[in-house]
Amino acid sequence: MKTRAARAHQGSVSLTTVAEDTGVSISTVSRIVNGESGRASPETVARVEEAIARLGYRPNPVGRALRQRASRVVAMLSPNLDNPAMAAIAVSTEAALRAAGYVMILCDTHDRAELQDDYLQAMREQFVAGYVMVSAVRSRGLEETLRRGDPMVFVARHNPLGGGAYVGIDNRAAGADAADFMLARGIERPAVLMAAQNVSSTQERASGFIDRLVARGIPDSAIRRASGPGLSHIEIGYAAAKALVQQGGWPQGALCVSDLIAYGAYRLAVESDVPIPERCTLVGVDGNALNHWIAPWLTSIRIPYESFGGHVVAQLQSLWSGEPTTEVRIPHEPPMVGLAQKATA
């Protein structure tokens, strides 16, 4: 009879363990485990089968369901669905999955690691066929899910643990475009507003903005930066703008690393009787459809979220078939001037 320690060891042996032991890819091990060894050489098959027996690997029923796609359900984990950008990604992905014959379950993680882990576990118990991780955060559950080799695509924000299938834009290039836009309009001392808990996507936008300004002759010390705490981008924008103004007044222009941060900055401007965009040009990133109606004062770099879904499904299909995935960077649209600025041009 197996001891508790032996059973615990057996439970800890995963596809990744076998792959590392044999020096082959997780997808190759997965195919051999599932009897699809035709694409591997006899020597590779023998080596993997020997490691499986020696290490005591046993496929668990949930993992087998994931690999065999017994389920037609895909889980999307996304933070802050009150953000129009997150909602647009969800709509696009749900439509693409439905067209491919899948059903999507949508979970709002609120950018909290423990809630993300709760949903990962709950969705695993539902035998989902894969995961779409929109703006994921580092967490223990994410590490475990990746270690098992479950199909997972990261969207908008890169895998916080590195690697993995990705769909999003070139955030550094978007920031650089914002810098070029401002310099072309004679704004030589722009600022940048961001979150205190800056994540990879917004950090890349800010870095691309600053690096382009420096490359074009603006001293780094002349580029003002301000951030705000919290998870709500509107509240962050308000707090960051207040901090910036307290440091040295309103700038001629500011990059807001999301449209919602620009909304928060605008609220402070209204309260302070500062006309936008006449006094300060705010440039956001997202291109929310709401801007046309509620933010004609905002210049925004538009991200075509409506096209994300097809790329997400293509990445999942590659993972399901054991094919390599690529990092998909979807072109963004250059800064688009709001209606209020067009009217005064």
Side-chain angles (χ1 to χ4, degrees):
M1 189 171 79
K2 290 183 179 178
T3 66
R4 181 179 297 178
R7 289 195 299 271
H9 173 71
Q10 175 177 304
S12 68
V13 176
S14 65
L15 287 175
T16 302
T17 308
V18 178
E20 291 175 347
D21 184 86
T22 56
V24 301
S25 69
I26 294 174
S27 59
T28 297
V29 173
S30 177
R31 286 194 294 270
I32 293 172
V33 166
N34 288 286
E36 303 171 8
S37 57
R39 296 171 56 188
S41 68
E43 294 79 7
T44 297
V45 173
R47 189 162 76 252
V48 170
E49 289 178 343
E50 185 278 331
I52 289 172
R54 172 167 46 82
L55 296 171
Y57 170 74
R58 297 290 184 274
N60 62 56
V62 177
R64 182 175 292 278
L66 287 168
R67 288 186 294 275
Q68 293 180 343
R69 283 181 288 159
S71 169
R72 304 297 291 181
V73 177
V74 171
M76 171 180 279
L77 279 63
S78 176
N80 308 321
L81 290 172
D82 56 348
N83 183 333
M86 300 297 102
I89 293 172
V91 168
S92 172
T93 304
E94 189 278 332
L97 283 168
R98 181 161 30 87
Y102 289 82
V103 173
M104 187 179 87
I105 296 178
L106 180 58
C107 310
D108 192 338
T109 66
H110 298 281
D111 244 342
R112 291 163 44 196
E114 74 279 7
L115 191 53
Q116 176 177 282
D117 283 354
D118 287 347
Y119 280 129
L120 283 171
Q121 180 60 35
M123 292 301 100
R124 179 169 169 77
E125 292 170 356
Q126 296 300 314
F127 297 85
V128 297
Y131 303 87
V132 179
M133 304 297 293
V134 182
S135 297
V137 296
R138 180 184 291 268
S139 70
R140 178 172 297 182
L142 181 63
E143 292 180 14
E144 293 172 354
T145 305
L146 289 168
R147 191 180 303 119
R148 286 193 301 266
D150 294 351
M152 182 172 284
V153 178
F154 293 88
V155 181
R157 186 186 300 169
H158 284 88
N159 177 3
L161 301 170
Y166 170 76
V167 175
I169 68 164
D170 185 335
N171 286 292
R172 290 186 61 87
D177 283 351
D180 289 340
F181 175 86
M182 291 192 189
L183 293 176
R185 282 153 182 77
I187 302 171
E188 297 183 353
R189 293 293 185 271
V192 57
L193 303 180
M194 49 194 155
Q197 298 172 251
N198 229 7
V199 294
S200 62
S201 55
T202 54
Q203 178 61 55
E204 288 166 3
R205 292 170 190 174
S207 296
F209 178 72
I210 293 167
D211 289 349
R212 178 60 61 87
L213 290 174
V214 171
R216 294 194 55 184
I218 305 299
D220 184 84
S221 59
I223 304 169
R224 297 166 59 198
R225 304 156 170 85
S227 60
L231 297 175
S232 165
H233 273 209
I234 292 181
E235 294 176 1
I236 288 169
Y238 185 89
K242 180 175 286 189
L244 189 74
V245 172
Q246 290 173 346
Q247 292 170 8
W250 284 89
Q252 286 182 290
L255 168 66
C256 304
V257 294
S258 75
D259 282 358
L260 292 187
I261 285 180
Y263 295 174
Y266 180 76
R267 170 64 179 266
L268 179 67
V270 170
E271 293 177 357
S272 307
D273 293 324
V274 173
I276 303 293
E278 294 82 3
R279 174 64 181 80
C280 175
T281 297
L282 296 177
V283 177
V285 182
D286 280 324
N288 291 331
L290 290 173
N291 291 351
H292 177 79
W293 299 98
I294 68 172
W297 44 266
L298 178 62
T299 293
S300 186
I301 293 171
R302 183 176 180 274
I303 301 175
Y305 292 120
E306 69 279 0
S307 69
F308 276 36
H311 294 288
V312 170
V313 171
Q315 294 275 52
L316 282 170
Q317 289 171 334
S318 293
L319 290 167
W320 288 327
S321 65
E323 299 295 329
T325 58
T326 59
E327 182 173 289
V328 177
R329 293 196 176 191
I330 299 171
H332 61 271
E333 297 178 10
M336 299 181 65
V337 175
L339 293 177
Q341 295 184 70
K342 290 179 179 177
T344 59

